[in-house]
Amino acid sequence: MAYNLCFSPSSLYQPLCNSILSSRDPKPRYFNFSSGLTSFQLQSRTSLQITRVSLQDQIAQEATQEQDANVQYPDGKRRTYSSKSYAWVNPNSPRASQLKKRSYDTRYSSLVKVAEALDSSNPSDEDVCNILSGLGGRILEQDAVVIINNMSNPETALLALRYFTERLTFDRESIIYNVTIKVFRKCKDLDGAEKLFEEMLQRGVKPDNATFSTILSCARMSNLPNKAVEWFEKMPSFGLSPDDVTYSAMIDAYGRAGNVEKALSLYDHARTEKWRIDAVTFSTLIKIYGMSGNFDGCLNVYEEMKAVGAKPNMVTYNTLLDAMGRAKRPWQAKKIYKEMIGNGFTPTFGTYAALLRAYGRARYGEDALVVYREMKEKGIGLTEVLYNTLLAMCADLGYVNEAIEIFEDMRSSGTNPDSWTFSSLITIFSCSGEVYKAENMLNQMLEAGFEPNIFVLTSLIQCYGKAQRTDDVVRTLNRLLELGITPDGRFCGCLLNVMTQTPRNELGKLAECIEKANSKLGFVVKLLIAEKGTEGNFKKEAAELFDCIGSDVRKAFCNCLIDLCVNLDMLERACDLLDLGLTLEIYTDLQSKSSNQWSLHLKSLSSGAALTALHVWINELSKAVESGENLPPLLGINTGHGKHKYSDKGLAAVFESHLKELNAPFHEAPDKIICIAIYSYTQSKPNWKSFKYISKQK
């Protein structure tokens, strides 16, 4: 075994090493070691000088190590760098044991034990004095610094500080105060650190950069960024200039304090001056860009972080994943997560939560369910918000069975459902046409003390409409009005949609409901279902309606009104509404023409509106043929290939059925590598009945 001598692990002092010097030979003595070890020169006693204590610790390193004590690194280790030197002694030497006993490492170990005893003692002068008196009468300044630097109890640390300041004369008294402030930082006790700072000033002790950097990092660790900014801006009044590390740390502080402009300004300067920026600060920058909506900025910071050699930690990855979730970029979240796993990190709750939000918001259903089941396998619980995120996603995607499973798990975990939980489930059952289950969930919602909101009542109206329970639709509308809820565009659109599924003899009841919800819309609906003779007035009133409603519901209203016209065999009014929709740019780019193909694009239309557009387009083609115009070799109709999330029928299926009713010849064209449904013809003199059906799905 070899022993290291003479130098403390913290590089605080270099005490005299009398035992290895010869009093008979004042010249430097050389010890030559075998086995390839470098020779080490020990200087004479007269040439040794006591090194002054310096604790100019770097705020970025200490803040990262202590603030992110629970932050995981892949190898589970924390790397420290020591500037101590070593003298290696042959363990077989008879003097080895004597030299070991006289080394400062042995004394350092005993001082650490004193610090531990102080931490566990009562915070009284008597107990502290009893422990420290065991050091004897020859206490060095270095000993005091080592003891307090290794303490974690601020109450006994203050008593130890006073014990030492009363008995020792310090060359730089600020150092002993700095290490005591560090004890307060370990406990995230900013108030205590500030009081000690005031004591420093009262005693005439001048603070230095280390004093401020320690208090700054204490404020950061205490999640008080405004306090960090306040202390940073005090430095010039004490004649101090922040160093590069302090400036870098302030990027984080300004960012979390909300002064984004200052934080980004410092970051730009940091890149120019090549300051070293820690992972915590990079994480804050990613968060700043994310909160401002600059998601490309988040990715740029991440790439710059890797370029300068700063290693991302779990905070960095989780912050970036959360930003990609809010950006609705689930594909980038998947890529970052894969990179994180590849770098040896294990997902935390924050990681899974960020992934669930990213996949849930973007409706990446399968990916979200994989994350959910992985959390369950690992015994990681979900919060109410995460459960609701999953249920809302299931409602949008039509995942009925999965929603029931998640809801049962939510209840068994002890998490109480809230109004949004019930709202999602009622929506799922309503869209599936399961009236009994929707009503049962509504009753559970009421028993839990929640009143139905407009989303719940909208879903119920949709449910009753599918079941053709018109009286229940009327009752639900009256309930909404009794609760003092104002019908919005989505609610009125739902009432219109219900009308398209209602028998003709009950349309009057729903027209009255719509008039209560929106008088202008109700008037247009009544004109539509009235006897002939109101055509001109109807188109004018419809135009005024579209002018006064929000752009988010104009297409839905127009689609439903056209569907209602088709159901009532009012083709001319349906064509008028389609023409009005094109004029007002409610519908755009329905037709496209090239030298090889003319196409009709119907993906954004309802079935009635799409059939009306087909009728208009075919009339135009017929006129073109009659006038002798040359048609292209291919005519196509783009209907899309997707099915409705709560139905087996999509627009493509509706069109296929409709054209078969017309007895038009169709065939599939599997050689077309497309993701849409197309109807085409290839004859030299076609008419509209000679379309051929081409369908190719992924």
Side-chain angles (χ1 to χ4, degrees), residues 4-109:
N4 57 310
L5 304 180
C6 303
F7 293 87
S8 78
S10 297
S11 300
L12 301 177
Y13 275 91
Q14 296 179 10
L16 298 176
C17 302
N18 298 334
S19 60
I20 60 174
L21 298 174
S22 170
S23 60
R24 293 177 295 176
D25 186 2
K27 298 179 181 179
R29 174 175 291 186
Y30 293 85
F31 292 89
N32 294 319
F33 299 93
S34 58
S35 304
L37 295 176
T38 306
S39 62
F40 184 81
Q41 178 181 353
L42 295 176
Q43 296 182 354
S44 67
R45 182 183 317 195
T46 56
S47 66
L48 289 176
Q49 299 292 330
I50 295 178
T51 305
R52 300 299 181 195
V53 183
S54 177
L55 293 180
Q56 296 282 354
D57 46 328
Q58 295 179 344
I59 184 173
Q61 290 178 341
E62 291 186 347
T64 303
Q65 290 175 358
E66 297 197 34
Q67 179 177 348
D68 298 317
N70 294 322
V71 172
Q72 171 206 353
Y73 286 83
D75 55 9
K77 299 178 181 178
R78 296 204 179 271
R79 297 173 175 81
T80 57
Y81 301 90
S82 174
S83 59
K84 66 179 177 180
S85 303
Y86 296 89
W88 295 94
V89 177
N90 188 342
N92 297 321
S93 169
R95 300 190 64 192
S97 60
Q98 297 176 12
L99 292 173
K100 180 184 176 184
K101 290 179 182 179
R102 297 182 183 182
S103 72
Y104 193 78
D105 274 1
T106 301
R107 182 167 178 80
Y108 183 89
S109 298

Side-chain angles (χ1 to χ4, degrees), residues 147-427:
I147 289 171
I148 296 181
N149 194 50
N150 282 281
M151 292 183 66
S152 58
N153 186 335
E155 294 180 289
T156 52
L158 277 178
L159 296 175
L161 170 67
R162 285 171 192 139
Y163 179 92
F164 291 128
T165 54
E166 289 171 1
R167 290 164 175 77
L168 299 176
T169 301
F170 291 89
D171 291 330
R172 286 182 58 193
E173 198 169 354
S174 62
I175 294 174
I176 193 68
Y177 274 96
N178 290 346
V179 292
T180 310
I181 292 172
K182 282 179 65 178
V183 178
F184 285 95
R185 184 180 69 183
K186 291 175 186 177
C187 303
K188 300 181 182 179
D189 184 359
L190 182 60
D191 289 339
E194 290 179 332
K195 289 176 183 176
L196 189 55
F197 180 83
E198 292 299 324
E199 182 182 314
M200 284 181 68
L201 300 182
Q202 291 171 8
R203 287 178 53 87
V205 179
K206 184 179 179 181
D208 55 19
N209 270 32
T211 311
F212 278 93
S213 66
T214 307
I215 296 176
L216 283 171
S217 60
C218 181
R220 291 176 66 198
M221 291 169 58
S222 303
N223 199 27
L224 297 170
N226 288 305
K227 275 288 187 180
V229 170
E230 180 184 323
W231 278 95
F232 175 73
E233 293 175 352
K234 284 182 181 179
M235 292 184 73
S237 64
F238 288 87
L240 298 172
S241 298
D243 57 17
D244 293 352
V245 177
T246 305
Y247 271 125
S248 297
M250 289 310 298
I251 297 173
D252 170 61
Y254 275 113
R256 290 198 286 157
N259 193 339
V260 174
E261 184 177 350
K262 182 69 173 179
L264 295 180
S265 174
L266 282 175
Y267 177 53
D268 289 339
H269 195 51
R271 287 189 293 181
T272 303
E273 299 296 328
K274 301 187 184 303
W275 295 345
R276 186 174 61 82
I277 302 177
D278 62 14
V280 175
T281 300
F282 274 117
S283 300
T284 300
L285 285 165
I286 291 171
K287 187 174 183 179
I288 288 172
Y289 281 115
M291 295 301 291
S292 65
N294 185 353
F295 301 111
D296 289 331
C298 296
L299 296 172
N300 290 338
V301 170
Y302 177 59
E303 293 302 324
E304 287 178 12
M305 179 182 189
K306 293 188 290 184
V308 300
K311 293 185 177 180
N313 56 31
M314 285 306 301
V315 175
T316 310
Y317 283 119
N318 290 348
T319 304
L320 193 57
L321 287 171
D322 184 68
M324 293 303 101
R326 283 185 282 110
K328 293 187 178 180
R329 298 182 184 181
W331 61 93
Q332 286 180 325
K334 290 178 75 171
K335 179 182 176 183
I336 293 163
Y337 177 70
K338 184 177 180 181
E339 193 172 308
M340 184 196 87
I341 297 299
N343 288 334
F345 289 90
T346 301
T348 64
F349 170 80
T351 311
Y352 286 125
L355 287 173
L356 279 182
R357 287 191 293 266
Y359 296 150
R361 288 169 179 167
R363 303 310 183 234
Y364 270 41
E366 294 303 322
D367 292 299
L369 291 174
V370 167
V371 173
Y372 163 69
R373 294 192 173 111
E374 187 174 327
M375 291 178 74
K376 300 306 297 179
E377 288 174 5
K378 293 184 177 181
I380 301 175
L382 279 72
T383 64
E384 178 186 292
V385 173
L386 293 179
Y387 276 118
N388 285 340
T389 299
L390 284 169
L391 289 171
M393 178 198 73
C394 290
D396 280 351
L397 296 176
Y399 288 0
V400 180
N401 294 331
E402 291 83 353
I404 294 172
E405 174 193 343
I406 292 167
F407 180 63
E408 292 302 325
D409 173 51
M410 181 181 187
R411 282 191 155 172
S412 62
S413 70
T415 305
N416 293 323
D418 63 8
S419 61
W420 291 108
T421 312
F422 291 113
S423 178
S424 294
L425 289 162
I426 291 170
T427 298

Side-chain angles (χ1 to χ4, degrees), residues 407-452:
F407 180 63
E408 292 302 325
D409 173 51
M410 181 181 187
R411 282 191 155 172
S412 62
S413 70
T415 305
N416 293 323
D418 63 8
S419 61
W420 291 108
T421 312
F422 291 113
S423 178
S424 294
L425 289 162
I426 291 170
T427 298
I428 289 169
F429 293 133
S430 296
C431 292
S432 303
E434 300 185 68
V435 178
Y436 172 76
K437 290 183 178 180
E439 290 181 332
N440 180 53
M441 195 56 61
L442 175 63
N443 291 333
Q444 291 186 45
M445 181 179 185
L446 295 172
E447 289 171 4
F450 299 108
E451 287 289 343

